Amino acid sequence: MSHDQIQDLNVHSTDRLVSPEELKVQLPSSDAHLDTVREGRRVIQDIMLKQDPRLLVIAGPCSIHDSQAALEYAGRLQQLHDEFKDRMYLVMRTYFEKPRTTVGWKGLIYDPDLDDSGNIAKGLYEARKLLLEVTGNGLPTATEFLDPIVPQYIGGLVCWAAIGARTTESQTHRQMASGLSMPVGFKNATDGGLQVAIDAMGSSMNGHYFLGIDTAGKSAVIHTRGNAFGHVVLRGGNKRTNYDKDSIQSARERLAAADLNPIIMVDCSHANSGKKAVNQPEVWNQVIDQRRAGDDSIIGLMLESHLSAGNQKLKGSLSDLKYGVSITDECLDWENTETLLRQTYQRLG
């Protein structure tokens, strides 16, 4: 029996990618980009350590599928970032990877043309290009890392990273998080369970060794020191919420019992909003009430927001897609986003 008859039986083809080094040569970062990233990471770390009293806000599209709309959103958020910087620290969601329970569009990196062609080389290029444009204007960025190879290409332009509800329990992602250079938020499990996020924090604080690639794109053994800046993100689960006072108190106590930093971020979307964008402000305001009442364990909030409200299906002609409308989860529109942030700024005063 030949080699070809027993290996890669279900592999149709392979396409070689440029290495991370080569992509960085094509799309280099400047001092302005690096200053934004360094400052963003420093501020977020200080907020986590309670050395900075500001509220951390991570807002933006559920996922980015249109760079032009994303940059328009970034320009608007940048203005509020500068205006509210004494009480809130605004960071833009720049999500390029979308985990799927079964199948579906997996994000700009995997399918930038929205046609299932899988042009990952173009996707990586577009993702890095967008991050350069956003950070070049001084706006810090946040993303979810799904594939452990992706950070080699774009991680140097990200200020905060998420490990999603579907991957927080994964050893691969805990190892990856241990080597990431930015603070990492671990979401609770899709069933609402918090233990997986607590375990992920503990694991990622330690050093690991695992298979990966180096900046030249060569297979390598990665040795990490551990990431001291992990925290939990409460997003609800199994049709129940976990942003109420009792849920946050329980999370705080369980973190302290595990000898972990008892700080919490609340995701106003997903199960906490019943996957309805119009419910996000109610979640947001209840959490702000708790923070104003003295709960300093609440360090931040996440909001899924875009230029226009709701979402749309990715089907038919791409020309039928509405500009500035999410093709994944529902998002709050910009007008309501700005109103919410302005009201919050006043309330935090």
Side-chain angles (χ1 to χ4, degrees):
M1 182 178 289
S2 72
H3 173 81
D4 292 341
Q5 291 176 302
I6 61 170
Q7 187 164 321
D8 294 340
L9 296 180
N10 292 318
V11 175
H12 177 268
S13 62
T14 59
D15 300 315
R16 292 200 173 223
L17 286 171
V18 298
S19 69
E21 282 180 352
E22 291 167 330
L23 185 60
K24 292 170 187 176
V25 169
Q26 294 175 25
L27 294 169
S29 53
S30 68
D31 288 344
H33 301 118
L34 299 180
D35 287 347
T36 298
V37 174
R38 288 192 192 99
E39 175 69 3
R41 293 176 180 176
R42 182 193 65 77
V43 169
I44 295 169
Q45 288 174 2
D46 285 349
I47 290 173
M48 292 176 63
L49 294 171
K50 299 183 182 179
Q51 296 174 356
D52 188 321
R54 287 179 287 180
L55 177 71
L56 175 60
V57 175
I58 297 175
C62 172
S63 61
I64 290 174
H65 72 276
D66 178 348
S67 294
Q68 181 180 347
L71 289 172
E72 181 178 341
Y73 184 97
R76 297 183 186 187
L77 192 66
Q78 175 72 62
Q79 294 179 19
L80 300 186
H81 170 85
D82 295 340
E83 184 177 349
F84 301 152
K85 63 184 178 181
D86 60 320
R87 299 177 193 171
M88 297 188 289
Y89 192 71
L90 272 56
V91 179
M92 180 173 169
R93 278 179 64 111
T94 50
Y95 277 39
F96 306 113
E97 302 180 86
K98 295 303 295 180
R100 290 299 179 188
T101 302
T102 53
V103 294
W105 185 71
K106 294 192 290 186
L108 186 79
I109 284 179
Y110 300 95
D111 188 19
D113 296 318
L114 311 181
D115 59 1
D116 206 25
S117 57
N119 191 348
I120 293 178
K122 179 180 178 181
L124 288 167
Y125 186 95
E126 292 297 325
R128 184 171 174 83
K129 181 181 178 183
L130 189 141
L131 288 171
L132 285 169
E133 294 189 65
V134 174
T135 56
N137 290 324
L139 184 62
T141 56
T143 200
E144 177 178 342
F145 284 125
L146 185 60
D147 191 301
I149 291 176
V150 166
Q152 292 282 31
Y153 288 91
I154 65 171
L157 297 168
V158 174
C159 303
W160 181 91
I163 305 298
R166 294 172 182 82
T167 47
T168 291
E169 195 169 7
S170 158
Q171 176 176 312
T172 297
H173 292 82
R174 294 175 179 186
Q175 290 172 166
M176 175 182 69
S178 76
L180 291 176
S181 301
M182 71 291 294
V184 178
F186 296 95
K187 292 196 174 182
N188 63 252
T190 55
D191 66 1
L194 183 61
Q195 191 59 46
V196 293
I198 292 175
D199 291 343
M201 282 181 62
S203 173
S204 66
M205 289 176 64
N206 291 279
H208 290 273
Y209 51 91
F210 52 93
L211 294 173
I213 65 167
D214 61 18
T215 57
K218 300 290 187 180
S219 296
V221 178
I222 311 297
H223 301 264
T224 66
R225 292 191 179 92
N227 190 337
F229 291 96
H231 64 90
V232 298
V233 180
L234 302 183
R235 46 88 75 196
N238 268 6
K239 299 182 179 180
R240 60 186 175 91
T241 64
N242 59 4
Y243 62 87
D244 58 281
K245 182 178 180 180
D246 289 344
S247 294
I248 289 179
Q249 180 179 340
S250 174
R252 183 173 62 245
E253 291 172 351
R254 291 177 64 181
L255 286 164
D259 200 25
L260 297 170
N261 191 1
I263 56 172
I264 294 158
M265 177 180 287
V266 174
D267 183 349
C268 296
S269 187
H270 300 99
N272 274 337
S273 65
K275 295 190 175 181
K276 295 294 182 182
V278 294
N279 294 333
Q280 290 188 86
E282 175 63 22
V283 179
W284 178 287
N285 285 322
Q286 287 196 32
V287 176
I288 293 297
D289 286 344
Q290 294 177 57
R291 182 176 163 105
R292 292 182 68 226
D295 191 342
D296 65 353
S297 68
I298 301 169
I299 61 161
L301 288 156
M302 295 187 73
L303 192 71
E304 290 193 331
S305 156
H306 211 335
L307 298 177
S308 297
N311 63 349
Q312 60 188 325
K313 297 292 185 182
L314 178 57
K315 62 180 181 179
S317 172
L318 297 182
S319 62
D320 294 334
L321 290 178
K322 298 176 182 177
Y323 178 76
V325 178
S326 171
I327 63 170
T328 47
D329 290 350
E330 288 186 7
C331 289
L332 199 66
D333 62 280
W334 176 256
E335 289 74 18
N336 281 300
T337 298
E338 181 175 0
T339 297
L340 187 64
L341 292 174
R342 288 193 178 281
Q343 291 173 344
T344 301
Y345 179 77
Q346 295 300 323
R347 295 179 69 196
L348 291 176

